[in-house]
Amino acid sequence: MQDTSRMSPVEAVWENMARMCVKTQRLDVAKICLGNMGHARGAKALREAEQEPEEEARVAVLAIQLGMLEDAERLYKACKRYDLLNKFYQASNQWQKAIETAEAYDRVHLRTTYYNYAKHLEATGEQSLALTHYEKSDTHRFEVPRMLCEDLQALENYVNKMKDKSLWKWWAQYLESQSDMESALKYYALAQDYFSLVRVHCFQGNIQKAAEIANETGNWAASYHLARQYESQDEIKQAVHFYTRAQAFNNAIRLCKENNLDDQLMNLALLSSPEDMIEAACYYEEKGEQMDRAVMLYHKAGHFSKALELAFATQQFGALQLIAEDLDEKSDPALLARCSDFFIEHAQYEKAMELLLTAKKYHEALQLCLKQNLTITEELAEKLTVSKDSKDLSEESRRELLEQIADCCMRQGNYHMATKKYTQAGNKLKAMRALLKSGDTEKIIFFAGVSRQREIYIMAANYLQSLDWRKDPEIMKNIISFYTKGRALDLLAGFYEACAQAEIDEYQNYEKAQGALMEAYVCLSKAKTRSPLEQESKLIQLQSKMTLIKRFNQARRNYSEDPKEAVRQCELLLTEPDFDTAIQHGDVLGFLVEHYVQAEEFQMAYQYLEEIQKRIPALNLSSYVTPQTIEAVHRGAGIPISRTLVPEQLHPNNMENKEVEEDVADVMEDP
């Protein structure tokens, strides 16, 4: 602030205008006023204040330069710049307000405020208050000893009162510098500065006490210092011990090598860094003794090539196995190959296989598997499988490898794994063949459904036909569905014909047999076969069968209305040349026997019964004629019945297949 008593009238006018700028907050005008006043310091302060974002803060700087302190305080509070307000209070010696502001609004500068106030109090001679505020600012560990350095008694009392480790250590160092070793030891112990304790005890020649402290505390610095002392006194074992406790393994290793402490050297090397391990391994190798230790250290240090070379040279097979366990895909392929050859020579094929796979020599691994007849487990098969994004093999080679794995699984009877690998190789036909060999019907049906290939549909349907499809309507549905999806209408026609024959042979259901033959005829007529002549011949045969069966069904349906015509039609059927290819003799003859028994023409009935007995074994007789009818025929004709002609009371198939017949019928009606 300028001295107004020395101002000229013109300068006074400019000052008044500058003061008005504080009220109006016109800093642009204030700059002109300060310039005309010659107020260089104020102009500089105003220019530096331009970096402040708040206008009130910039105006407050102008107010301070003009001595308008109350306005400056008000402006700082208005813009909530408590940090600048704190500095303002400190600069204007309003310390109590500064501390209150810092405690309430500017805590980031609280310790700094305490420290500045403590410096102010120290300068004014108020040491007691200064000490308190140094403590509040957390600078007492340095500032208080500096402040009280001329009053040692007060300083000692303060150190004892505070019970602070840093102060104890500082006081101990001071006492040591004054050669008061006993007192220094006391305060070093209070500060738990074990390194300094050991150092002082060693200086005093009390090395035994120093060793006790180092052993009890395990302090690294203390142990290292003590080890150096023992080494200087040629107490090598003690020096090695304390170097080890200090984790200074390289120094301990150096001493062991210099003094031939080979046993300790091995243990220390294993605890140390890879560099120290290699150094110790070189030492054992140069000595030419205990080569197993050299191999182990090279191995632990990650120097696999050297470890393997030495293990091979010294025939350390146990070490070789341990080293091989740590080899991975990052290892040198030549090392992996050499190890695998070693294991092959010693008939450890599984281990050799793992190494070949680690070296990504998949074909060699598979050849070893084939040559030694190793079982390909699921885990091994997955290891042999190369992923699609792998750059180790081309896509063609990858597929070829997968097929070779699958071929091997096929030879070993692992059909499910073979299916998986064939599928991964993209060869779904081979995958289906493998699955068919497994006999897993559920998976065969599923695979055929998801593959959606004509050949696979046909293969699945052919397989399902080999099962007992007559008793499982679901299998029948799948057979029809697969042949249809595979566009194998000729095969589907053959299946329908087989269904028709099953209806006749097992259930005597000619109505459904006729329907099945009709489906067969329709399918075959739509089929595109290689031999049109053969197809035509087959269609004629089917037509002939349908005609004969239709006549028989018609005769049975019309029997209630015109029995004579129905019987005549049946007797005519018996004379047809291809009759037995479509209809069983027993069904027609049985029908005639029943008719003549009802008509009480027992001689004719007996005649047809004899015809049945000539063509059909006695055990199957009840399938066509009931026991009661047989007895009625013999009784009416006056001919005694032979015991050999008495059939079983019921044909087994008649009851146990009744439910199956109904299911099959549903499938035939809705193919």
Side-chain angles (χ1 to χ4, degrees), residues 93 105 216 318 387:
N93 205 26
Y105 306 109
E216 287 174 6
S387 63

Side-chain angles (χ1 to χ4, degrees), residues 250-356:
N250 53 345
N251 283 346
I253 289 170
R254 172 178 55 78
L255 287 180
C256 288
K257 286 167 64 178
E258 290 173 358
N259 295 277
N260 296 319
L261 299 175
D262 293 352
D263 291 337
Q264 283 183 270
L265 173 61
M266 181 65 183
N267 295 329
L268 289 168
L270 290 173
L271 293 171
S272 190
S273 65
E275 292 77 10
D276 290 335
M277 290 183 192
I278 291 174
E279 186 181 339
C282 291
Y283 167 79
Y284 283 121
E285 188 179 0
E286 287 170 4
K287 286 189 72 174
E289 301 173 0
Q290 298 175 316
M291 299 298 280
D292 56 329
R293 293 184 175 183
V295 171
M296 182 184 293
L297 289 170
Y298 279 130
H299 175 206
K300 293 291 183 182
H303 202 340
F304 295 128
S305 57
K306 185 67 177 176
L308 284 170
E309 182 183 339
L310 205 57
F312 278 120
T314 55
Q315 297 289 301
Q316 295 184 45
F317 303 131
L320 275 171
Q321 291 186 351
L322 291 174
I323 296 168
E325 289 176 2
D326 289 341
L327 295 176
D328 54 25
E329 62 274 4
K330 296 179 183 177
S331 304
D332 184 359
L335 286 179
L336 293 167
R338 190 173 178 186
C339 284
S340 66
D341 292 341
F342 166 77
F343 286 119
I344 290 171
E345 289 173 9
H346 291 80
Q348 296 187 27
Y349 303 116
E350 289 80 5
K351 196 64 187 174
M353 172 83 72
E354 289 179 14
L355 290 171
L356 287 171

Side-chain angles (χ1 to χ4, degrees), residues 426 428-429 448 450-458 485-486:
K428 292 185 178 180
L429 284 177
V450 297
S451 296
R452 298 186 178 181
Q453 287 188 13
R454 179 176 180 273
E455 295 84 354
I456 291 177
Y457 280 134
I458 294 171
K485 290 176 181 177

Side-chain angles (χ1 to χ4, degrees), residues 219-265:
N219 184 271
W220 289 6
S223 298
Y224 185 83
H225 182 81
L226 190 56
R228 293 289 299 273
Q229 293 293 318
Y230 277 122
E231 184 179 357
S232 66
Q233 296 175 14
D234 289 331
E235 294 190 36
I236 303 303
K237 289 188 176 180
Q238 288 288 355
V240 169
H241 169 72
F242 284 104
Y243 275 135
T244 304
R245 288 186 67 85
Q247 305 285 304
F249 297 116
N250 53 345
N251 283 346
I253 289 170
R254 172 178 55 78
L255 287 180
C256 288
K257 286 167 64 178
E258 290 173 358
N259 295 277
N260 296 319
L261 299 175
D262 293 352
D263 291 337
Q264 283 183 270
L265 173 61

Side-chain angles (χ1 to χ4, degrees), residues 173-193:
Q173 289 172 337
Y174 171 77
L175 292 172
E176 185 182 353
S177 69
Q178 300 299 312
S179 300
D180 187 355
M181 296 301 180
E182 293 303 321
S183 298
L185 285 172
K186 171 189 171 184
Y187 283 100
Y188 277 134
L190 289 171
Q192 296 181 350
D193 186 354

